[in-house]
Amino acid sequence: MANELPFERKLAELKSKIDDLRKFGEEKQIDFSDEIAKLEARYVQHEEELYHNLTAGQKMAIARHPSRPTTLDFIQYLCTDFIEMHGDRMFADDLAIVGGIAKFQGVPVTVIGHQKGKDTKDNIARNFGSPHPEGYRKALRLMKQADKFRRPIITFLDTKGAFPGATAEERGVGESIARNLLEMARLRVPVVVVVIGEGGSGGALALGVGNRVLMLEHAIYSVLSPEGAASILFKDASRAAEMAEAMKITADDLLQLEAIDEIIKEPRGGAHRNPEEQAESVKAAIWNHLQQLMKMNEDELVSDRYEKFRKIGKFTYMHEAVEQVDH
C-alpha cells in the first residue's frame, strides 16, 4: 500500500507479508496457497473492521491524503471540452481556485473548485489550496457569467480555509467571501456543490451555497479546522483528532444534521485508491440532482436554495425546554 496512513500500517504490513510469501513460493517452487489464503482472509477481515469503524480523526486524515483526487482530476474524469478561465479582472489569477466552462453529460456547465497541488512545487504555486480574495472574485466572475448564459454550476470544495495572511486581509478576503455568499444565494441557475476533501470554514462556504450539497464519504466539512479549534480551546493543536469527534465534521454527522443532501460512497480505503471508480460515483450523483434542478424555473431555484439554508440548524426556546422537563 503506497502512502499508507498511520492507522493503516498494520494493514500494509499484512499486505506486504502476503506479497513476500507469494513471491518466495514462486521463486522456490513451494506451494504456500493455504498460508496465503489464511493471511488474505485475515487481511479482508481487518480491512472490513478498519474502514467500517473509522473515527472522525481518521476520516480527516483520508480527506487530506496527498494522493486524493483534486478538482482538476474530477473535471478531467467528468467533463469534456473544458476551457479554464483565469483572473478576477481586478488584481491577479489565484491558482488556488480553478474554473471554466465545460460539458457535463453533454450539458454546457460552469465548473469551479479549490485546487491543491500534487507536489511541493505545485502546492506552493497553489498556496496549498488556500485562496486569496482574487480567487473568490474569479469564482464569482465565472458564476455571474454562468448566470447570464443560463449554465448550471458545479463546484468542488477542498480547502482548509481562505489564506489567513496579511496580504489576503489587505485585499479584502472577508468582503470577497461575504460577497460570494450573497451572490450565490440569488443565482438563477442550478448549483450543485460537492465536498471532495476538506471543506474548511468560510473559505469553503464561499463556493458552497448550492441547491444541493453532496459530500464524499470520507470528506470533512467544518466551520473551523480541528487544529484551529483545538488551539483556541485547549491551546494545543495536537488535540485535533479529539476536536474532530466533537465538531461533527464527517459526512454521516452532517447528513444527520441536514447540512448536506447526499453522501457519495468511496472505494475501500478512500477516493485515492480508485479515482476512476470514485469519479463514476460522483458523476452519477451530480447528474441525478442536476436533472431534477434543471426542471425548475428561475424563481423556484432561488427559493429552493434559500429554503435549504434557512432550515439548517435547530434551536429550542427556554420555556419549551422547561416544559419538556416538567412533563
Side-chain angles (χ1 to χ4, degrees):
M1 293 173 62
N3 296 321
E4 72 270 4
L5 297 166
F7 65 88
E8 296 175 314
R9 205 152 288 153
K10 181 178 178 182
L11 202 60
E13 290 172 356
L14 194 55
K15 182 71 165 62
S16 180
K17 287 181 181 178
I18 294 171
D19 292 341
D20 289 344
L21 187 59
R22 183 176 284 113
K23 182 179 179 181
F24 182 76
E26 291 173 355
E27 290 176 352
K28 302 299 182 181
Q29 297 296 308
I30 302 174
D31 184 10
F32 288 118
S33 56
D34 290 343
E35 290 80 359
I36 291 172
K38 290 177 182 178
L39 287 173
E40 287 178 335
R42 282 176 54 194
Y43 180 90
V44 170
Q45 181 182 1
H46 183 64
E47 185 183 51
E48 186 79 15
E49 292 172 354
L50 177 64
Y51 293 121
H52 274 77
N53 297 284
L54 291 170
T55 65
Q58 289 169 337
K59 289 195 173 190
M60 179 172 66
I62 294 176
R64 295 173 174 174
H65 196 284
S67 299
R68 194 170 177 86
T70 65
T71 291
L72 285 176
D73 291 328
F74 279 111
I75 290 174
Q76 179 184 350
Y77 287 129
L78 304 180
C79 301
T80 59
D81 304 318
F82 175 61
I83 302 174
E84 185 174 355
M85 304 294 187
H86 297 276
D88 67 341
R89 303 299 186 264
M90 294 178 68
F91 182 78
D93 183 34
D94 187 350
L95 298 182
I97 287 183
V98 297
I101 58 177
K103 285 186 178 179
F104 175 72
Q105 299 288 70
V107 177
V109 297
T110 290
V111 286
I112 306 167
H114 303 96
Q115 180 63 31
K116 294 179 178 178
K118 291 288 190 179
D119 52 37
T120 301
K121 183 179 179 181
D122 195 20
N123 261 317
I124 292 172
R126 298 189 183 279
N127 206 33
F128 294 86
S130 294
H132 283 78
E134 52 269 25
Y136 295 115
R137 291 176 180 134
K138 173 171 68 173
L140 181 57
R141 179 175 73 82
L142 296 179
M143 287 188 278
K144 285 189 171 183
Q145 181 193 76
D147 197 48
K148 177 179 180 180
F149 292 102
R150 300 296 183 267
R151 287 193 299 266
I153 298 170
I154 302 169
T155 68
F156 297 101
L157 276 51
D158 188 16
T159 182
K160 289 186 177 182
F163 181 61
T167 54
E169 294 294 341
E170 289 167 357
R171 299 200 288 273
V173 67
E175 187 278 337
S176 68
I177 290 173
R179 176 69 59 184
N180 278 27
L181 301 181
L182 172 65
E183 297 293 349
M184 287 192 78
R186 53 194 186 193
L187 289 169
R188 298 165 297 169
V189 295
V191 182
V192 178
V193 177
V194 188
V195 186
I196 59 174
E198 182 175 13
S201 191
L205 191 58
L207 300 184
V209 184
N211 296 89
R212 300 291 181 269
V213 179
L214 318 180
M215 195 167 170
L216 267 61
E217 181 183 7
H218 300 317
I220 59 174
Y221 199 12
S222 62
V223 68
L224 175 67
S225 72
E227 288 85 356
S231 296
I232 292 170
L233 292 178
F234 306 126
K235 311 299 182 188
D236 183 2
S238 67
R239 296 177 68 176
E242 180 182 342
M243 283 306 306
E245 293 287 348
M247 291 171 68
K248 305 298 182 184
I249 64 175
T250 69
D252 289 331
D253 292 327
L254 293 168
L255 185 64
Q256 186 174 353
L257 294 169
E258 299 183 12
I260 64 171
D261 300 289
E262 182 181 342
I263 298 173
I264 304 173
K265 295 289 290 183
E266 296 193 27
R268 183 69 59 83
H272 58 285
R273 299 288 182 205
N274 195 330
E276 292 86 355
E277 179 185 331
Q278 184 65 79
E280 287 301 317
S281 299
V282 171
K283 179 189 288 186
I286 293 175
W287 185 234
N288 178 47
H289 289 282
L290 201 55
Q291 288 182 98
Q292 298 172 27
L293 294 170
M294 288 190 297
K295 296 175 183 177
M296 298 183 184
N297 63 39
E298 294 176 4
D299 291 338
E300 288 172 336
L301 287 167
V302 175
S303 177
D304 173 82
R305 200 177 304 121
Y306 173 83
E307 293 298 332
K308 171 181 172 50
F309 282 85
R310 187 69 178 84
K311 72 180 183 181
I312 294 176
K314 297 179 181 178
F315 61 91
T316 303
Y317 286 109
M318 182 58 70
H319 68 83
E320 292 179 353
V322 172
E323 288 175 359
Q324 290 174 4
V325 172
D326 289 342
H327 290 85

